[in-house]
Every structure is written in structure tokens, then in C-alpha cells.
Amino acid sequence: MQIRINHIEQIRTAARQFINEMGSARVIAFYGKMGAGKTTFIKALCEELGVRDVITSPTFAIVNEYTVSEPIGEEWDGASVYHFDFYRIKRLEEVYDMGFEDYFYSGELCLIEWPELIEELLPGDALRVHITEESDGSRTVEA
């Protein structure tokens, strides 16, 4: 899958396309440099899924939980979405202590920023997505 976002106004359309193409993946790891647009894209994904909560980066909380309250389809009705940001993780023990298995193996959607810091803990079937900022300011989302 490769999605190009030329302007921020296209992000919701890109998020919708991503949802349609992500298949059955429930753990999605987003890789990209600081400022590449990981949080912005995750916010658009959540909005397109039907999350109406305030969506913010969980940089200090490590994980935010959102509920799909206006689903785009039956499979998402009432679903939980877990949004992780592992940027501040210093030791894997912190991730063990938070009970990552309960999230990653719950069957609920887990959207992960900075997964490279916990790479060895990601399930084998995690969808790995790279967001790249191009020289013209556009973004490429590739899995």
C-alpha cells in the first residue's frame, strides 16, 4: 500500500483509503521522523473510524484510549482504539509494567508511534507503516 498526501486537506481521504486497505491488522506501527505527521495521520484515522473523543498525542501518558462512537461499519461499533507513543520509553521494563500484552493481543486497534523503541515486543503480524516527508512537503504513507 502506498498513499500520497499532497496537502493536509487530503488527510481524511488518505485515512479512509488506509482503513479500506489495512485488512485485518489490529496492531499498526507507524515509523517516521519527528514531524513526519504520525500523530496527525493517526488523528485522521481515528476520526474516520468514528472516534469523537478529543484525540491527542499520548507522549506523557504513553497510551490514550478512544471509543468508536459513530462507526463507519458494524465491526467498529463500540470498539476501543489504543493510541501509543513510546518516544519517552527508556527501558523495555516500562512497557512490560504497563501490561502491553493486554493491549496488543486484545483484538482492539492499537496505533503505535515510535515502535522502533519496542520493536522486539511487536506481534509478528503487526502492520508496519512508514510515513515520509517528501522534499515538496507532501507525505507518503507506505506499508
Side-chain angles (χ1 to χ4, degrees):
M1 158 189 354
Q2 186 177 54
I3 301 169
R4 187 171 178 94
I5 306 168
N6 293 311
H7 303 286
I8 191 70
E9 296 82 22
Q10 297 173 323
I11 197 161
R12 296 281 298 260
T13 301
R16 208 169 315 123
Q17 181 182 347
F18 184 91
I19 291 165
N20 290 334
E21 295 182 22
M22 72 183 200
S24 61
R26 289 300 176 260
V27 176
I28 304 175
F30 291 89
Y31 298 83
K33 293 180 180 179
M34 183 77 69
K38 297 180 296 293
T39 302
T40 303
F41 190 68
I42 288 173
K43 181 178 184 209
L45 283 175
C46 290
E47 290 170 349
E48 284 302 306
L49 286 168
V51 171
R52 297 299 172 247
D53 302 324
V54 174
I55 302 160
T56 58
S57 178
T59 302
F60 295 99
I62 300 175
V63 62
N64 287 342
E65 179 180 0
Y66 313 119
T67 302
V68 176
S69 57
E70 294 179 22
I72 59 172
E74 284 185 29
E75 73 174 299
W76 300 107
D77 192 12
S80 292
V81 177
Y82 299 110
H83 178 190
F84 296 87
D85 184 332
F86 289 115
Y87 183 74
R88 297 193 179 279
I89 291 295
K90 301 296 181 218
R91 299 177 343 271
L92 281 180
E93 289 76 24
E94 296 174 64
V95 184
Y96 283 106
D97 290 346
M98 70 176 284
F100 78 95
E101 300 101 332
D102 293 338
Y103 297 102
F104 290 5
Y105 298 99
S106 67
E108 301 288 354
L109 188 59
C110 296
L111 306 173
I112 303 168
E113 296 184 56
W114 300 104
E116 51 270 58
L117 299 174
I118 60 143
E119 191 73 41
E120 64 194 69
L121 303 179
L122 291 175
D125 63 349
L127 178 61
R128 287 162 169 80
V129 178
H130 297 269
I131 299 179
T132 307
E133 181 179 9
E134 305 299 340
S135 60
D136 64 359
S138 67
R139 304 299 196 270
T140 301
V141 178
E142 193 165 18

